[in-house]
Amino acid sequence: SQTIHQWPATLVQPVGSPLSLECTVEGTSNPNLYWYRQAAGRGLQLLFYSVGIGQISSEVPQNLSASRPQDRQFILSSKKLLLSDSGFYLCAWNSGRVSGEQYFGPGTRLTVT
Amino acid sequence: DQQVKQNSPSLSVQEGRISILNCDYTNSMFDYFLWYKKYPAEGPTFLISISSIKDKNEDGRFTVFLNKSAKHLSLHIVPSQPGDSAVYFCAASSPYGGATNKLIFGTGTLLAVQP
């Protein structure tokens, strides 16, 4: 069966510090991968998606970047965090079929102070 | 522009009764719709989906109804249980997204099932 991992689970970082969040998927190959953010009291906003190694598409202009160095690894990064980067970050995958379910990881709670 | 809308931020229901969660969309190109359940500090869990070629899909206590002419879908939970208390998100996708299979999410409805 497929599983998706995210770490760390929680993170408190000062403004201006770098960020690296990691997501890995097990039990599948060549998945589509996604990064979402849920700000307090808000819905799920798609930040980045990837259909293959090295292929990254950004949905919204922002202070963050993403990379996919391996087939089942997706990394969310920032060089300098802003207060507005605080939120709950979720990684998701799907099999790549057109119109299919996405499966989410447990999430990372990021607080920028 | 919010293409998927959940106009009720919260809903309270008595245990054993029916919960009805609603969702509206504006893009007629959407052809696949999903419902997710989310507990605090956890990732969303897929519940049930429906293709635009159907108007109803049922899975145990959960039934999703789709009214394409009204661009409206709803999730019925019968009977409601206290463990159903969570935030429910509806989502939609379009075949024109190609292999990306991007989902557009609503803002969620917080369901509270009272014992």
Side-chain angles (χ1 to χ4, degrees):
Chain A
S1 64
Q2 300 86 6
T3 56
I4 179 168
H5 304 279
Q6 285 185 247
W7 63 90
T10 60
L11 191 59
V12 180
Q13 293 281 93
V15 169
S17 64
L19 172 74
S20 181
L21 303 181
E22 189 165 345
C23 169
T24 58
V25 181
E26 297 178 356
T28 187
S29 59
N30 196 31
N32 286 353
L33 296 172
Y34 309 85
W35 277 112
Y36 290 87
R37 175 170 61 203
Q38 184 185 20
R42 303 288 296 276
L44 299 174
Q45 182 185 35
L46 179 62
L47 302 176
F48 299 95
Y49 65 90
S50 171
V51 299
I53 295 174
Q55 300 179 61
I56 308 294
S57 296
S58 174
E59 282 295 287
V60 293
Q62 60 200 300
N63 184 43
L64 303 169
S65 62
S67 62
R68 184 170 177 175
Q70 300 181 45
D71 181 46
R72 288 168 287 177
Q73 184 184 31
F74 205 21
I75 296 173
L76 184 68
S77 304
S78 174
K79 293 182 178 178
K80 291 184 178 182
L81 283 169
L82 306 172
L83 285 174
S84 57
D85 292 323
S86 292
F88 191 54
Y89 288 83
L90 291 155
C91 181
W93 75 274
N94 91 329
S95 64
R97 290 183 294 114
V98 176
S99 294
E101 298 81 28
Q102 291 182 15
Y103 300 96
F104 285 82
T108 294
R109 169 70 62 194
L110 171 66
T111 303
V112 182
T113 60
Chain B
D1 178 32
Q2 191 74 23
Q3 297 187 69
V4 179
K5 302 176 184 179
Q6 293 177 259
N7 293 317
S8 297
S10 63
L11 174 68
S12 183
V13 173
Q14 288 295 117
E15 182 179 4
R17 307 295 291 270
I18 184 171
S19 294
I20 300 177
L21 299 122
N22 294 303
C23 180
D24 298 294
Y25 61 96
T26 58
N27 189 342
S28 58
M29 293 295 105
F30 289 148
D31 70 337
Y32 196 71
F33 304 89
L34 309 91
W35 283 95
Y36 284 83
K37 174 182 179 179
K38 185 182 182 300
Y39 293 118
E42 294 185 9
T45 303
F46 169 72
L47 269 179
I48 192 169
S49 61
I50 188 167
S51 165
S52 59
I53 62 173
K54 296 184 177 181
D55 55 17
K56 177 182 175 181
N57 189 25
E58 191 171 357
D59 183 1
R61 296 187 298 115
F62 302 92
T63 303
V64 56
F65 295 91
L66 176 63
N67 182 334
K68 284 184 291 182
S69 61
K71 295 190 180 66
H72 177 83
L73 66 155
S74 60
L75 175 68
H76 293 208
I77 306 174
V78 183
S80 301
Q81 300 173 353
D84 296 329
S85 298
V87 176
Y88 289 79
F89 291 98
C90 66
S93 71
S94 161
Y96 297 96
T100 66
N101 189 24
K102 293 188 293 183
L103 295 180
I104 307 298
F105 283 86
T107 51
T109 296
L110 174 62
L111 173 66
V113 180
Q114 308 298 331

